[in-house]
Amino acid sequence: MKNLTLSKKILIVLGTSIGFAILFSFFFIHYLYSKLYLSTVEESIIHQGQKTAAHYHYGELSEEIIDKIQWYNVISEYEIIVVDNLEELTTSFPYKINYETLVDADDKLILEQGSYVLKEGFVEELDREIIGAIFPIKSEDKLLGFIYIYVPLAAIQDVFRESIPLLIAVGVLFFFILFLVVNRVSQSLFKPLQELQLLSGEVSKGIYSKRIETASDDEIGQLAQAFNSMSLSLEQQEVRKKEFISNVVHELRTPLTYIGGYTHVLKEKIYSSPEEAENYLSTIEKETVRLNKLINDLIELNHLQEDMYSIDRQPIAIAQLLFDTIDLFAIHMTEKGLRLASTIEEELIIMGDEKRIQQVFYNTIDNAIKYSEENGVIAITMKDNDDFVQFLVTNKGTHIHDEDLKRIGERFFRTDKARTRTTGGTGLGLTIVKEIVRLHNGLFTITSDAETGTTVSIQLPGLLTQEKEGT
């Protein structure tokens, strides 16, 4: 059975079921023959025999009476023999039933007591089963004779002769319907499974674009839909993997190109003044720092996503932490002519990792400053929101389209597709923010509108919420 396919196993089950159905039909028909037909004939013989014997319970068994019985024998479906004694009965019916004499000693004793004897069995000379009964004809004080009523039993095929065409028609209709059902089941069951087996091989080869077509909503249909979802997810993951590799190559190539190029210039002394050489060294230093930051961000992001970083939860006066972080950007905001509009509730406290929460503030504000238009406004709000602390940063600058909003937070994703160096960064800042917020059981969302600007919203559980979850 281990080497059989699922389709063969199901066909074996169906074939076995049909076999049991046919076997059941055989036993059922045999039951109808033995219980209904034979019982009906037996009851009819006993009733007719007792009725006939009861008419002649007085007087002698005259020739007139015998003639009437013989006449009844002609018009009746039964064979009737009337005799004066049992020896004549043996002569009139010289056959053995089941290879035994018709009347034995025990039968004589029963008949002398006035009871009938039922005889049933096979008669070789007639080549069929018979059923009959011997009835004594008695007066008040003696036996007058015996009546033997018997009837050859029809074969089972004769009994159901009239029903056979109907049975055949019903059987043909049943098997035709069964064929349609099996064919339909094979189409709806085996075809998706065969496609699933075929496409699984395609997936193992890295081909994720093919899908299983199914219109059913049963378990097989749900399995096909799950496979399609998995293939789609793998396809998207493959696209993102290729994009990630491309982004990494791009991010690494740029600083390495600068470092390699300027190192060659300095090595070959292709510069006109010491100031020019100093600028080249400064650029190499900046690109080295940027490259080092990229590698550190990737390592840090991997630790966060794999839950390899443990959160050191402590009570944090989060408003003060935000003020300290904002102070770090005073020079950058002045250089770009940005004005700060802040609304911060100072009594808010959360349980969290102070270093990581400050990183959330830093990356979010840094991102807002980079993409703000010059002489614009950076709005920062922190407030209590139903047992949560909500932090919002809004800037007016580059509008983010809806298709890009869904991808904010992916590794290396930037809304500036040209990936210019004017904004700097590694494209990992908000990705790290999302992971830190996730580890703090918070919520990260971003919205963008051409009129109101882009708003990053971060909700972190307040101190009371953390205490409830802890209990």
Side-chain angles (χ1 to χ4, degrees):
M1 290 292 287
K2 291 182 178 180
N3 297 326
L4 294 178
T5 62
L6 178 61
S7 59
K8 290 182 179 179
K9 290 179 181 179
I10 293 180
L11 288 176
I12 290 174
V13 172
L14 288 174
T16 305
S17 301
I18 293 173
F20 277 113
I22 294 173
L23 188 64
F24 171 78
S25 300
F26 170 78
F27 284 113
F28 182 69
I29 292 175
H30 187 270
Y31 167 80
L32 293 178
Y33 175 78
S34 60
K35 295 298 180 181
L36 299 183
Y37 171 67
L38 295 182
S39 297
T40 301
V41 172
E42 181 180 323
E43 291 175 1
S44 178
I45 287 175
I46 293 173
H47 173 75
Q48 191 62 46
Q50 290 176 337
K51 182 179 179 181
T52 303
H55 280 81
Y56 308 102
H57 60 277
Y58 59 88
E60 297 293 332
L61 191 62
S62 62
E63 290 296 327
E64 181 181 358
I65 294 174
I66 294 175
D67 290 339
K68 288 181 178 180
I69 293 176
Q70 295 296 347
W71 177 81
Y72 178 75
N73 185 30
V74 173
I75 64 173
S76 171
E77 59 179 324
Y78 305 112
E79 296 291 334
I80 302 178
I81 299 175
V82 183
V83 295
D84 292 327
N85 53 64
L86 294 176
E87 288 73 13
E88 290 183 21
L89 179 59
T90 305
T91 303
S92 300
F93 189 85
Y95 310 122
K96 291 184 177 181
I97 298 179
N98 286 339
Y99 304 99
E100 296 180 356
T101 57
L102 179 62
V103 181
D104 57 22
D106 294 334
D107 296 334
K108 289 181 181 180
L109 183 60
I110 294 172
L111 291 170
E112 288 174 357
Q113 293 175 354
S115 299
Y116 67 88
V117 175
L118 188 68
K119 308 296 290 186
E120 178 182 353
F122 178 76
V123 177
E124 186 176 9
E125 292 79 1
L126 300 178
D127 192 26
R128 66 173 53 197
E129 298 275 339
I130 71 167
I131 185 171
I134 304 172
F135 299 90
I137 303 175
K138 293 183 65 177
S139 63
E140 294 182 355
D141 55 354
K142 66 177 181 178
L143 282 169
L144 301 177
F146 300 92
I147 298 175
Y148 179 41
I149 301 178
Y150 73 93
V151 60
L153 295 175
I156 189 168
Q157 61 268 25
D158 297 329
V159 174
F160 295 100
R161 187 183 305 278
E162 296 181 358
S163 304
I164 286 177
L166 178 61
L167 291 174
I168 292 176
V170 172
V172 170
L173 180 62
F174 169 75
F175 283 107
F176 177 72
I177 295 175
L178 183 63
F179 170 77
L180 294 179
V181 171
V182 171
N183 185 62
R184 179 64 178 173
V185 169
S186 65
Q187 290 292 324
S188 62
L189 180 63
F190 301 143
K191 186 178 178 181
L193 290 178
Q194 291 170 352
E195 290 183 5
L196 181 61
Q197 182 182 12
L198 178 64
L199 294 184
S200 296
E202 297 289 323
V203 169
S204 67
K205 298 175 183 177
I207 303 173
Y208 309 118
S209 59
K210 296 183 179 180
R211 303 288 184 268
I212 299 175
E213 295 183 3
T214 179
S216 63
D217 197 31
D218 55 11
E219 288 81 357
I220 299 298
Q222 293 173 7
L223 177 62
Q225 292 172 9
F227 179 85
N228 290 339
S229 298
M230 180 195 71
S231 298
L232 178 61
S233 177
L234 289 173
E235 185 178 18
Q236 294 173 343
Q237 186 176 354
E238 182 70 14
V239 171
R240 290 173 183 173
K241 183 179 75 173
K242 292 178 179 179
E243 185 177 342
F244 172 75
I245 293 174
S246 175
N247 290 333
V248 169
V249 170
H250 182 277
E251 295 292 342
L252 292 176
R253 182 185 290 126
T254 302
L256 289 175
T257 300
Y258 276 94
I259 292 172
Y262 289 139
T263 301
H264 176 73
V265 169
L266 292 172
K267 183 178 180 181
E268 299 296 330
K269 298 182 179 180
I270 311 173
Y271 52 86
S272 58
S273 65
E275 291 77 10
E276 186 179 356
E278 186 68 27
N279 288 335
Y280 290 156
L281 287 172
S282 178
T283 301
I284 292 174
E285 183 181 13
K286 289 179 181 178
E287 293 301 329
T288 304
V289 171
R290 182 169 177 267
L291 186 59
N292 187 59
K293 184 178 186 306
L294 172 63
I295 295 172
N296 288 336
D297 283 350
L298 279 172
I299 294 173
E300 181 178 26
L301 181 59
N302 184 65
H303 287 174
L304 290 170
Q305 290 181 330
E306 298 298 328
D307 292 334
M308 298 169 63
Y309 182 87
S310 59
I311 298 296
D312 182 19
R313 298 182 186 275
Q314 299 291 335
I316 304 172
I318 193 169
Q320 185 59 50
L321 184 62
L322 178 56
F323 286 132
D324 294 341
T325 307
I326 293 174
D327 289 341
L328 298 175
F329 294 95
I331 298 175
H332 298 290
M333 294 181 68
T334 302
E335 290 176 349
K336 204 167 183 179
L338 298 176
R339 183 171 60 85
L340 175 65
S342 61
T343 304
I344 301 173
E345 296 181 13
E346 299 184 10
E347 300 81 8
L348 300 176
I349 298 177
I350 67 167
M351 290 289 293
D353 190 314
E354 183 174 347
K355 178 182 176 183
R356 293 302 175 184
I357 295 300
Q358 185 170 32
Q359 189 174 9
V360 168
F361 293 156
Y362 187 94
N363 289 359
T364 306
I365 297 172
D366 180 56
N367 199 71
I369 292 173
K370 287 177 182 177
Y371 292 97
S372 290
E373 57 187 16
E374 291 188 2
N375 302 314
V377 177
I378 299 290
I380 298 178
T381 303
M382 180 176 287
K383 61 182 179 179
D384 179 70
N385 185 13
D386 295 333
D387 295 333
F388 282 82
V389 173
Q390 186 173 24
F391 168 65
L392 300 105
V393 179
T394 303
N395 72 311
K396 292 199 66 175
T398 305
H399 171 60
I400 304 176
H401 298 286
D402 291 340
E403 59 270 18
D404 289 337
L405 280 175
K406 299 176 182 178
R407 300 193 59 189
I408 294 293
E410 293 183 10
R411 294 186 181 190
F412 296 114
F413 179 75
R414 291 177 179 172
T415 55
D416 56 332
K417 302 298 190 296
R419 310 182 69 83
T420 61
R421 294 170 56 79
T422 56
T423 55
T426 61
L428 298 173
L430 290 184
T431 309
I432 293 174
V433 167
K434 287 184 70 174
E435 290 302 317
I436 294 174
V437 171
R438 178 184 66 84
L439 292 175
H440 281 80
N441 301 319
L443 178 65
F444 174 94
T445 58
I446 183 169
T447 58
S448 185
D449 184 85
E451 295 182 0
T452 60
T454 300
T455 299
V456 172
S457 174
I458 295 172
Q459 290 195 95
L460 297 171
L463 182 61
L464 293 178
T465 304
Q466 291 284 354
E467 291 177 349
K468 290 177 182 178
E469 292 178 354
T471 58

